[in-house]
Amino acid sequence: MNIVLINPPNCGRSIPEEEFGITSLKMIFRGEPLALEVLAGNLVGHEVRIVDLKAEPDGFAKLLAEGTCPDIVGFTAVTCEANTVIKLAGEIKKRFVGKSPVVVVGGHHASCDPVYFNRDGFDYVVVGLGKLTFRLLVDALTEGREPSAIPGVVRVRPGDVFTPSVRKYDFADLVDHLPPRYDLVEAHRDKYVMSGVGGKVGFVATAFGCTHCCSFCSIPSMTGGRYLSHSVEAIIRDMRLLGDIPLIRFVDANTFGDPAIAKVLAERILELGIEKKIVADVRADTVVADPALMRLWHEAGLAAVVIGFEEIDDSRLRLMNKRSSLQKNIAALQILAEIGIRVIGDFIISPDYGHEDFERLSRFIDSSSIALPIPSILTPIPGTALYRRLHKELVITDLDYYTFSNAVLPTNLATQEFYTLYSDLMKQLHHHIQKS
Ligand code: B12
Ligand code: SF4
């Protein structure tokens, strides 16, 4: 089969920019489309290519201009990319009308809100981890079998009943023995950079899902609540496949979710003398529970960690089901500063924030050792507990705005005032970054 996997362009819309001319919130994100490389890794025997529209904005026009119709087109999308992908899928169907490429969508939004894609332009939605499922789907299509019985695969029937069955996930879903096809994006390598931490970056997935279930987070639904780790040897293999790229970002939402595996992995990196700078996500309570593990990881190359601090108020943390506390956040910062690991800190600004709250957060961050603070705005992503609780209150339902930098819930302050304070906070953080 001739398979084309498409990474949507940087998209999503900004209210501060459109309504108030505040452009200081714009961020440019870069990184390789690892999901598509992972899927391609399990498509041995097929002709596969990746069109990364974040790295190559005119890639889609070039694809449409080609004479050959792909047999299968696969799209990935987070929530703010869902509408863009719907448009692109429609254009594929229109361009190759009569030739019937099979169009499949998977990824974060397809997993948390699959019914959203039950519309023209698509043939199948894949829910959750896709490395094994997509291979089974491609096999069924190759052999002319009906794929709907494959767990995680749902046939699109616009206007008709669309009920994805509940799926179970296990280690087999990781197809551990086959590496991602890093070679498919080789032409764009120089564009995959992590500014602020150290230039050219390669992505490695060490685990999927999470050990926790915070109310705003869509990660647990990717694996039905399970935490699944790759084998240590597969992780080492992938790190080595990235060649001389000096910086590795472990893209897992919670890299140290299984501390025993994390310990063996760090020891193996040290034993093999792999000298890479590493950035990974860790929970504050994991740092506090096991500082020795962090020390070991620092030796193994861990240069920076991303921590979801989210809030500086315990009652708000409880409401988010974060199962951590301000005290643990502060203790984690102290431990990491002593070890010498830099911290990238995520914070969530609730739409009910007033002046006081913005000021308190700004003071906290300014007096902390966080090297790169990243405040985003609380956004109920469909499929999360937060969405189930608050969806009736949404004032913006257009998913283009679900970029985590728009208030889609009503703000307590006047909207412009809210965005101005948010923008001021971002500017202040910019100074903080330059200072640290
Ligand atoms: C790396 C990353 C990025 C990179 C993406 C690089 C790229 N793809 O081009 C960059 C930095 C560009 C980025 C940007 C953004 N990101 Co981001 N990002 C991540 C991160 C850390 C890792 C993603 C990853 O590579 N995972 C590894 C792969 C292998 O796993 P996977 O993506 O889950 O893929 C599996 C399945 O989903 C499925 N699958 C995926 N695609 C497809 C396609 C098909 C056809 C099939 C069959 C299956 C399938 O199979 C895969 C293998 O099992 C995740 C957090 C996380 N840990 O998942 C957040 C995350 C995906 N990002 C998120 C968000 C919100 C954003 C931004 C809006 C900015 C922001 N505020 O963070 C922007 C949106 C981009 C835009 N259009 O502007 C959210 C998405 C939530 C949601 N539902 O919308 C996440 C989950 C973070 C979070 N905790 O909330 N991001
Ligand atoms: S926010 Fe972090 S700790 Fe909470 S469920 Fe998501 S990935 Fe896990």
Side-chain angles (χ1 to χ4, degrees):
M1 288 263 185
N2 172 356
I3 304 168
V4 179
L5 301 173
I6 302 180
N7 190 29
N10 268 316
C11 47
R13 298 177 63 180
S14 159
I15 293 171
E17 190 175 339
E18 288 170 10
E19 289 190 20
F20 310 116
I22 300 171
T23 53
S24 53
L25 301 175
K26 216 169 203 159
M27 291 190 238
I28 305 285
F29 298 96
R30 302 212 187 111
E32 63 194 283
L34 184 61
L36 302 181
E37 297 161 29
V38 163
L39 297 181
N42 195 21
L43 294 174
V44 181
H46 294 277
E47 203 182 306
V48 190
R49 76 181 146 134
I50 292 176
V51 178
D52 182 357
L53 300 177
K54 288 189 178 70
E56 187 191 4
D58 62 351
F60 193 71
K62 282 192 198 151
L63 177 69
L64 293 187
E66 286 174 13
T68 25
C69 169
D71 298 308
I72 301 175
V73 177
F75 285 99
T76 188
V78 298
T79 298
C80 71
E81 298 169 336
N83 292 335
T84 298
V85 160
I86 289 169
K87 199 170 134 265
L88 297 180
E91 285 178 31
I92 290 273
K93 288 283 186 184
K94 211 161 77 196
R95 164 67 182 86
F96 297 112
V97 66
K99 296 187 183 158
S100 312
V102 175
V103 179
V104 183
V105 62
H108 283 269
H109 194 68
S111 305
C112 23
D113 189 16
V115 71
Y116 196 73
F117 292 114
N118 187 30
R119 55 176 97 205
D120 292 333
F122 302 102
D123 297 287
Y124 297 96
V125 178
V126 169
V127 178
L129 299 184
K131 193 174 182 183
L132 177 62
T133 314
F134 192 56
R135 173 76 213 204
L136 297 175
L137 170 61
V138 170
D139 285 348
L141 294 171
T142 309
E143 292 156 19
R145 285 184 282 111
E146 170 52 46
S148 302
I150 301 166
V153 175
V154 201
R155 184 121 184 55
V156 170
R157 291 192 173 83
D160 207 342
V161 181
F162 181 92
T163 359
S165 50
V166 176
R167 273 197 71 173
K168 289 203 174 114
Y169 299 85
D170 60 34
F171 183 69
D173 284 292
L174 306 190
V175 198
D176 193 59
H177 65 291
L178 291 173
R181 291 282 310 274
Y182 289 117
D183 58 303
L184 293 180
V185 294
E186 212 39 61
H188 303 310
R189 264 291 150 215
D190 288 346
K191 295 185 186 139
Y192 301 141
V193 291
M194 202 169 170
S195 47
V197 185
K200 231 166 131 182
V201 64
F203 286 177
V204 171
T206 79
F208 287 86
C210 188
T211 49
H212 286 68
C213 192
C214 305
S215 67
F216 56 86
C217 183
S218 59
I219 296 291
S221 63
M222 300 298 297
T223 53
R226 287 202 66 187
Y227 181 75
L228 298 164
S229 294
H230 267 297
S231 69
V232 167
E233 290 315 313
I235 298 164
I236 298 282
R237 173 199 66 206
D238 294 356
M239 291 176 76
R240 285 184 152 161
L241 277 173
L242 283 164
D244 58 6
I245 293 173
L247 177 67
I248 303 270
R249 166 81 165 107
F250 287 161
V251 293
D252 342 312
N254 182 0
T255 296
F256 307 91
D258 185 330
I261 294 183
K263 183 164 183 281
V264 178
L265 177 59
E267 285 166 350
R268 194 81 180 112
I269 290 172
L270 285 165
E271 190 185 320
L272 294 169
I274 298 175
E275 287 186 10
K276 301 271 188 193
K277 247 175 151 184
I278 297 167
V279 178
D281 282 41
V282 66
R283 281 180 54 94
D285 54 359
T286 308
V287 175
V288 176
D290 200 347
L293 182 65
M294 290 296 114
R295 232 168 262 125
L296 177 68
W297 264 96
H298 185 49
E299 272 175 56
L302 188 65
V305 287
V306 182
I307 300 189
F309 295 112
E310 329 300 10
E311 270 291 358
I312 52 170
D313 176 305
D314 281 345
S315 61
R316 286 187 188 259
L317 284 170
R318 261 195 303 280
L319 206 61
M320 291 175 169
N321 197 29
K322 188 73 200 180
R323 293 186 179 267
S324 194
S325 64
L326 178 61
Q327 195 206 345
K328 279 193 182 143
N329 288 346
I330 293 169
L333 278 169
Q334 266 162 3
I335 293 167
L336 293 166
E338 273 164 34
I339 299 175
I341 296 176
R342 296 180 80 201
V343 176
I344 302 168
D346 286 334
F347 291 90
I348 299 181
I349 295 185
S350 283
D352 66 359
Y353 263 33
H355 285 267
E356 273 277 288
D357 302 298
F358 275 105
E359 275 159 26
R360 236 158 42 92
L361 179 59
S362 144
R363 276 198 304 273
F364 178 83
I365 293 175
D366 212 39
S367 62
S368 77
S369 55
I370 299 169
L372 180 61
I374 306 184
S376 51
I377 300 180
L378 185 74
T379 306
I381 292 291
T384 59
L386 184 73
Y387 182 87
R388 287 189 288 280
R389 181 155 61 85
L390 294 178
H391 70 100
K392 288 199 180 112
E393 292 174 33
L394 289 169
V395 283
I396 295 172
T397 51
D398 180 345
L399 297 184
D400 284 0
Y401 292 102
Y402 283 52
T403 55
F404 294 16
S405 50
N406 294 302
V408 299
L409 289 163
T411 52
N412 263 5
L413 293 168
T415 325
Q416 180 161 8
E417 202 178 2
F418 178 84
Y419 285 123
T420 305
L421 288 174
Y422 180 45
S423 162
D424 288 349
L425 181 69
M426 298 291 269
K427 282 187 206 146
Q428 182 212 332
L429 299 184
H430 189 72
H431 293 304
H432 177 86
I433 295 163
Q434 288 173 331
K435 244 177 34 193
S436 65

